[in-house]
Structure formats: C-alpha cells, structure tokens
Amino acid sequence: MKVIFKVLLLGVCSLGKVVAQQDSLMMERIYTTSFEKGKAYENLRYLTKNIGHRIAGSAKAEKAVLWSKSLMEDLAFDRVYLQEVQMPYWDRGEKEEAYIVSIKEPLNVLSLGGSVATPPGGLEAEVIEIELLSELRAQGDKVRGKIVFVNKPWDESMVETGVAYGLNSSQRSRGPVEAAKLGAVAYLFRSLSSSPDDDYPHTGGTRYVNDIDSIPALAISPVGANNLSAALKKDSATRIHIVNHSAWKGNVATHNVIAEWRGTEKPDEIITIGGHIDSWDVGEGAHDNGTGTMGTLDAIRTLMELDYKPRHTIRLVFYMNEENGVHGALQYGETAKAKAEKIIAAIESDAGGFAPRGFDIKSSAERVNWIQKRWKPLFEQKFWVSRFLHGSPGVDSGVWGRHFPNTIMFNFRPDPHRYFDLHHTAKDVFEAVDRRELQSGVAAIASLLYLIDQQIDQLP
C-alpha cells in the first residue's frame, strides 16, 4: 500500500510540474506578445489626446464610451453593449481663483468634486488653520464666519502610498460638513500629494449632508498650503479671497461599456475584469484611469492574439463615474444581482500604469495562501511581480461585490511611488506614462486572467 501511495504521489507531483511548466511557457508568450504587439499605449494616446479628460456626465465622457465600444467591437468578443447609468452631473465651471488679500499672493486651488459655488463675486474671510478635523470642534465659536484650512502634510515615511492617501482622504470627504456645522463659510484642504514641492492642486470627491448648509470646498496645492500657513503665522487674521463656479446640473443618462468573451466549458460562470472609464476634469486622465481601461482591454486582446479559448465567460467592464459617485458600479451590481449571475472572480485596474508589482486579493486566507504557493512563483521568478496579499478589491469591484460575497477579487497593484504625485491633477497626462511599464502591467493582468480561467476550480 505504501508503495502504491508513493507512486501516486510521485505521479501527482510530476503532473503538477508539467502544468507549472505549461503555465510558465504560456506566461512567457503573453509577455512577449504584450511587449511586441501590445496596443494599450497607442489606444491610451488616442483616449487622452483625442478625447481628453472625461468627467462623468460630460460630452467627453460619452465620446469615450462610444469610442471604447468601437474598440471592443473590433475584437473577437461575442457581445458588446452599453448599460445605462443614471447619475447627477457636476460641472466645475470657470477656473477657480484664490489669493491672500493682504499681499495679493495667488494660491493654486481646485474645487473638490461636488463642491457648491461661492457667491458670484466670490467670498473673503479670515482663515482658521488646523491639521486634523478632530481639532475643529475644540475651536467652537472661533470657526463661525471663517474659512477652515486643513493643513495635514502627507506622511512621506510610508512606502505604501495608498495608506498615506487613506489616512488623509476622509478629511477631504467629511471636512466641509464638519466645518459647516460650526458656521464656517468655506473649506480649504491641503492636497493629497506625495510631493512636498508640488504646486499643483489635487481634486477629489467630497460630500454634503441634508439639513446642513453646503459650503464651497477646494483643494490647495502643497506649496500654496505652506505659503498660507506661513502667512498665518505672521498674521493670525490673514484673509483670503476665493471664487468658485462649480455646481450640480441635474440628472443625466450615461453608460457602462461591457464586452463578453463566451466561455467554451462553463459559459454561465463569469470572470469580470476592467476599470473606470471616467476621470476628473483636469489633465487627461492618463494614469487615472486610462491605463486601467486600455490595459485590461489589451490584456484580453493579448490572449485573443494567442488564439486562447477561455473556459469561463470573460466580461470586460468599463465603469462610469467611479470618481464622483460610483453610479456605474452600483448599476452593474444591481443588474447582475437581479439576473442571479454567477460571477466567480474579478480583476480591477485603477492604480495607474506604472511597473506591475502584484495584486491585492479579497478572499479567504486559505485561498490567498494557495495563490501564494501556486501562482506567485510563476510571476516573481521571471517577471518581477511578487505582491499577492490579502487586501482591497478596488473601489468599483468593492461596490458591486457586496452582492457577491463569495467572489474572489483581485486588485492590480503597480509601483506606488509616483502615482500620488499625478493623481487627480493637471499633470496626469499621456506623457507621464511609460510604454514598457504599461505593457508589462498588461502582461501581468493577462497572465492572472489566464491562471484564473484555467485553475479557479482548484482553489480551496
């Protein structure tokens, strides 16, 4: 009996080595094809230069929708369609202005997504500076009639820049409401930038609460924040003047863009892959999130180029309005739930197009451990991709994934160091993307998609 067991064990081990060798060879073909024949970079060039930034609800966003649909229709998908999404449309309006009144020093600012406008001629008030929102309530009546200035510097000691971003981002979203509760007339937030010498303001979403006055909310560049703070140290009664024109423009109909590549063995089991097609209305939306959409599309195109036949249905989704309300992901989740679809896995790309480092995984510890033992060696030995850790599924996947708690989700993680220097700014342009880094990410995503499709049934 022991002899038979040993023979069987050797057979299983030998089979496992053969499969691993086959996977390794396939991944080499994927990487070679992506580098030599990849189209993500040129598609990104068109998206950014011919369409540009794409805030959800705008004419440019709908142009991106129709163009993306045409890209998908040129490939061997079995079905390409638009999914209607209803959402409120926010428009920035004319360029914002801000300056220190006493010395007429201009400050570089951007209204936060969702911000209301100032009165037509702007507003002028003294500034009260704090570092954390938790300090605000202690200021009491001192806040009334003032502009609240939250000046929390980025924590440069953190290699994981997403964590540094997360530590401050809630102050951007919650700040205007907390300031308005105490009678503030406007809210000024130090931009979430990884560079202390950055004179570009970084926008991002904020929100208001019913029954609390809505006040204008703007981001100020790190350099501007330092200059304003220095002025306040010289004169605590320093006043600034702000002009902002942004406003909500009512509900509009927009779309998610979806393409399906039907599985040959289990067509009713779906692997969702994609990212958001909208961007903020500054820069060109290159890293956020042109690289994510053009990259996931090219990952599938790469497998098609290799004449791959998927076992499961692969569904590409370009979500609309991740930046300012996640309405596209909400619609996708509600529709999939209503149809009782079986979504077995998801891959999201929304962290830029820098060199790939790996994937965060939302699943059980047992499954993550299995992936670390089986798939991680295939990536790290030849392709320098080594991060396979339990973590966030990504914003869009996380939203619709609430309806599918058993779906294993992967969040693409490129190198993090430079992303938040560009994030939500006018600097996020095509020229900031490197072709080889982008196509390397395409290959990593395509390789993961291949492994999921081939081996997901083996997961514990």
Side-chain angles (χ1 to χ4, degrees):
M1 182 65 71
K2 289 183 178 179
V3 172
I4 294 173
F5 177 75
K6 287 182 179 179
V7 171
L8 288 172
L9 184 61
L10 287 171
V12 171
C13 291
S14 298
L15 179 60
K17 289 181 180 178
V18 169
V19 171
Q21 289 172 351
Q22 291 174 344
D23 292 338
S24 182
L25 288 171
M26 180 61 173
M27 289 171 66
E28 287 182 9
R29 294 177 66 203
I30 288 170
Y31 269 81
T32 298
T33 301
S34 180
F35 285 136
E36 294 183 354
K37 299 181 179 180
K39 295 185 178 180
Y41 191 68
E42 288 308 314
N43 286 338
L44 179 67
R45 185 195 302 273
Y46 188 95
L47 177 67
T48 54
K49 296 303 181 184
N50 291 65
I51 299 176
H53 57 68
R54 311 165 293 283
I55 193 162
S58 68
K60 285 187 175 183
E62 283 309 292
K63 186 177 180 181
V65 162
L66 296 177
W67 174 75
S68 299
K69 182 172 180 282
S70 71
L71 280 183
M72 297 175 191
E73 289 171 337
D74 286 341
L75 297 177
F77 287 107
D78 296 284
R79 185 185 180 205
V80 178
Y81 58 100
L82 301 180
Q83 183 178 71
E84 185 171 310
V85 177
Q86 293 287 334
M87 53 155 283
Y89 171 46
W90 177 83
D91 180 62
R92 182 177 303 279
E94 297 176 26
K95 182 175 172 53
E96 308 87 339
E97 299 176 29
Y99 59 88
I100 299 173
V101 173
S102 59
I103 55 178
K104 297 295 189 290
E105 179 179 340
L107 302 168
N108 286 331
V109 295
L110 276 175
S111 59
L112 295 177
S115 174
V116 297
T118 59
L123 63 83
E124 181 180 310
E126 291 184 11
V127 180
I128 185 165
E129 179 182 2
I130 58 173
E131 185 174 86
L132 300 170
L133 275 181
S134 56
E135 302 170 7
L136 189 59
R137 191 161 296 278
Q139 300 295 323
D141 288 340
K142 295 179 182 178
V143 176
R144 187 166 300 280
K146 305 282 181 60
I147 296 171
V148 169
F149 168 40
V150 174
N151 188 25
K152 175 71 169 66
W154 183 276
D155 188 344
E156 292 185 64
S157 69
M158 291 188 175
V159 174
E160 182 65 79
T161 53
V163 174
Y165 177 83
L167 288 174
N168 282 10
S169 62
S170 64
Q171 299 202 127
R172 182 187 68 202
S173 59
R174 296 189 299 108
V177 169
E178 297 303 315
K181 286 179 181 177
L182 296 175
V185 295
Y187 185 75
L188 199 60
F189 176 74
R190 183 189 180 104
S191 288
L192 292 172
S193 169
S194 54
S195 172
D197 302 320
D198 187 0
D199 201 18
Y200 283 78
H202 296 230
T203 190
T206 194
R207 59 178 181 264
Y208 299 107
V209 175
N210 290 337
D211 302 324
I212 297 175
D213 287 342
S214 299
I215 60 175
L218 299 92
I220 182 172
S221 73
V223 168
N226 293 339
N227 292 344
L228 177 56
S229 183
L232 287 165
K233 287 179 174 60
K234 292 180 180 178
D235 178 8
S236 61
T238 292
R239 300 172 68 86
I240 62 174
H241 186 88
I242 297 173
V243 181
N244 184 44
H245 302 278
S246 61
W248 291 99
K249 300 292 186 177
N251 286 341
V252 298
T254 181
H255 302 89
N256 294 328
V257 192
I258 303 177
E260 294 177 355
W261 191 15
R262 187 172 175 83
T264 57
E265 297 178 23
K266 298 183 177 182
D268 294 333
E269 295 185 2
I270 300 165
I271 301 169
T272 291
I273 177 173
H276 67 90
I277 188 64
D278 64 301
S279 76
W280 282 112
D281 54 339
V282 290
E284 296 170 350
H287 278 284
D288 188 18
N289 185 35
T291 56
T293 48
M294 298 304 102
T296 51
L297 172 65
D298 207 44
I300 296 174
R301 190 204 59 81
T302 299
L303 293 177
M304 290 177 173
E305 179 83 20
L306 293 169
D307 293 322
Y308 181 71
K309 305 300 180 187
R311 297 177 62 235
H312 308 84
T313 292
I314 294 172
R315 178 186 286 162
L316 177 66
V317 184
F318 287 179
Y319 307 96
M320 182 55 73
N321 199 30
E322 184 270 349
E323 297 292 9
N324 212 16
V326 293
H327 292 85
L330 288 167
Q331 183 62 60
Y332 178 76
E334 290 168 4
T335 301
K337 180 184 178 183
K339 292 181 177 180
E341 292 181 336
K342 188 174 183 181
I343 303 179
I344 58 173
I347 303 173
E348 181 169 328
S349 179
D350 182 19
F354 296 105
R357 293 290 176 256
F359 299 87
D360 283 352
I361 308 166
K362 180 183 178 293
S363 192
S364 66
E366 188 178 13
R367 282 186 158 192
V368 174
N369 290 338
W370 189 94
I371 290 167
Q372 289 172 342
K373 291 177 182 178
R374 301 289 185 91
W375 294 352
K376 180 181 175 182
L378 295 169
F379 283 90
E380 67 180 344
Q381 291 172 5
K382 294 182 180 179
F383 307 116
W384 291 36
V385 175
S386 59
R387 179 191 176 101
F388 290 83
L389 300 174
H390 188 273
S392 166
V395 174
D396 285 312
S397 295
V399 167
W400 67 254
R402 296 167 191 167
H403 300 302
F404 299 88
N406 297 321
T407 300
I408 183 169
M409 295 186 166
F410 298 84
N411 187 10
F412 177 57
R413 298 300 304 274
D415 185 279
H417 290 289
R418 290 172 288 165
Y419 182 59
F420 288 105
D421 183 41
L422 306 169
H423 183 252
H424 295 180
T425 73
K427 291 186 288 182
D428 187 12
V429 295
F430 174 76
E431 289 78 7
V433 179
D434 177 82
R435 182 190 184 278
R436 187 168 180 85
E437 286 187 316
L438 175 58
Q439 293 297 157
S440 184
V442 167
I445 293 169
S447 296
L448 178 65
L449 181 57
Y450 158 78
L451 290 171
I452 294 170
D453 184 50
Q454 287 292 309
Q455 301 181 22
I456 192 168
D457 298 337
Q458 301 175 29
L459 286 171

